[in-house]
Amino acid sequence: MSEFNSIVPTAFDPFAEANAEDSGAGTKEYVHVRIQQRNGRKSLTTVQGVKKEYSYSKILKDLKKEFCCNGTVVQDPELGQVIQLQGDQRKNASTFLVQAGIVKREHIKLHGF
């Protein structure tokens, strides 16, 4: 029985790389810009992953003024602080974050349809 155990290789986990702590989409270095469908044609844009050294309220104030929409900062237990904007502001928010120098273009992930 011990000979059999020494011959059998260890199990291969094909998803070990994806579950690793330093995988691409799961790290804190990316800023995720998502859209959530509300009811009917209404939608909500969320921005998460912005570094904590930036003031979320000042970023929100500038986003609201720039795009003429309402928004809020929500405290989530898992995700931390999340910026929510009314409407589909994915492209607008991502270009604003790049132009303001908050995040680089390659560190933004756009999600949604």
Side-chain angles (χ1 to χ4, degrees):
M1 191 68 150
S2 64
E3 293 175 21
F4 181 71
N5 289 339
S6 64
I7 296 172
V8 176
T10 58
F12 174 71
D13 186 11
F15 300 108
E17 225 176 79
N19 294 335
E21 198 75 34
D22 57 349
S23 67
T27 58
K28 296 281 186 179
E29 65 189 43
Y30 283 96
V31 174
H32 298 276
V33 182
R34 293 186 172 91
I35 187 168
Q36 294 177 352
Q37 195 67 31
R38 291 190 338 150
N39 44 1
R41 291 176 41 189
K42 308 291 183 181
S43 61
L44 190 71
T45 303
T46 60
V47 179
Q48 74 178 50
V50 179
K51 293 183 180 176
K52 295 183 181 185
E53 59 198 37
Y54 295 109
S55 173
Y56 283 82
S57 59
K58 289 184 180 180
I59 293 172
L60 177 66
K61 182 179 177 184
D62 291 340
L63 285 169
K64 286 167 54 173
K65 189 173 283 193
E66 182 79 20
F67 308 131
C68 299
C69 66
N70 202 1
T72 185
V73 177
V74 177
Q75 181 65 36
D76 190 79
E78 293 178 6
L79 305 173
Q81 289 186 326
V82 178
I83 298 173
Q84 291 183 344
L85 298 170
Q86 286 183 349
D88 186 4
Q89 306 290 343
R90 289 175 293 174
K91 290 182 182 177
N92 295 336
S94 63
T95 55
F96 176 84
L97 292 173
V98 170
Q99 289 177 351
I102 296 171
V103 68
K104 295 180 182 175
R105 167 81 57 198
E106 57 268 7
H107 293 286
I108 292 181
K109 296 278 186 180
L110 286 177
H111 302 279
F113 30 77

